[in-house]
Amino acid sequence: MALSTLRLAARPYLLAQQTFIIARCSAPMASSALTEMKNFWKKNQQLNRPNSPWWIYRPHLPMLTSLCHRATGITMGVVLYAVSIGVFVAPGDVTSYVEFVKNLHLSPMLLFPAKMICAFPLIYHYINGIRHLTWDAGYGYELKTQYKTGTVIATSAVLLSALVASYAYW
């Protein structure tokens, strides 16, 4: 109790000493952050530099295939956990939910795109994963080869997804 009272009484004196020490030991600022920022943008405008690299670098196929590979992988991981938790928490079993969807008598115009959307990430990620394995082996790094394999993979993933989605309609 006595210590806290002493600390409370001495606080104004200690704070005054602390600001005196900080003010005495610190050097005055040469410029403010705002001035530095204004000088930076002024210099960039004088040199005709763009404000953003997106204005220079347009999306190209190897970048898009890499982005799609990451997006499909993340999407499949999130969906796997969500469906697993949903099946664990929900009452009933999987067969009852399959029967429920069948009894809705949904149009193939709705089911086919839904099946294709479900099939595309699996197929694309699998095929592009094989492409990444060939890169790990040291093949396919040439830009021309990357464009060819990227086009083949994107096209074949869409076609195989359509094939898998249409399997029930044969």
Side-chain angles (χ1 to χ4, degrees):
M1 175 90 168
L3 186 60
S4 63
T5 306
L6 180 63
R7 192 175 358 167
L8 188 63
R11 180 173 284 158
Y13 174 74
L14 293 174
L15 289 176
Q17 291 289 63
Q18 184 179 8
T19 55
F20 173 72
I21 292 170
I22 292 173
R24 189 178 64 174
C25 296
S26 62
M29 290 181 61
S31 63
S32 69
L34 182 63
T35 311
E36 290 293 322
M37 185 177 67
K38 285 182 180 179
N39 291 339
F40 173 79
W41 287 111
K42 185 178 177 182
K43 176 184 166 189
N44 283 344
Q45 287 176 346
Q46 288 172 349
L47 296 173
N48 289 327
R49 291 180 178 163
N51 291 336
S52 171
W54 294 106
W55 291 1
I56 298 174
Y57 304 112
R58 290 193 172 36
H60 53 282
L61 189 62
M63 180 181 73
L64 294 175
T65 57
S66 176
L67 181 66
C68 191
H69 186 77
R70 292 173 187 182
T72 55
I74 291 169
T75 302
M76 288 188 303
V78 169
V79 168
L80 175 70
Y81 279 110
V83 169
S84 299
I85 292 170
V87 168
F88 180 72
V89 172
D93 59 346
V94 176
T95 56
S96 64
Y97 292 112
V98 171
E99 287 300 319
F100 173 74
V101 172
K102 282 184 181 179
N103 291 334
L104 290 176
H105 301 292
L106 296 173
S107 167
M109 296 296 284
L110 183 66
L111 281 177
F112 178 76
K115 290 178 181 179
M116 194 164 166
I117 288 171
C118 291
F120 179 78
L122 293 166
I123 293 171
Y124 179 83
H125 199 78
Y126 179 76
I127 295 172
N128 203 39
I130 294 170
R131 179 182 180 211
H132 277 271
L133 288 175
T134 59
W135 287 352
D136 291 341
Y139 302 107
Y141 279 119
E142 297 81 24
L143 193 58
K144 192 174 184 182
T145 308
Q146 285 188 2
Y147 274 93
K148 283 181 184 178
T149 57
T151 305
V152 167
I153 285 171
T155 306
S156 61
V158 169
L159 292 176
L160 286 172
S161 298
L163 183 69
V164 167
S166 68
Y167 179 72
Y169 306 112
W170 292 351

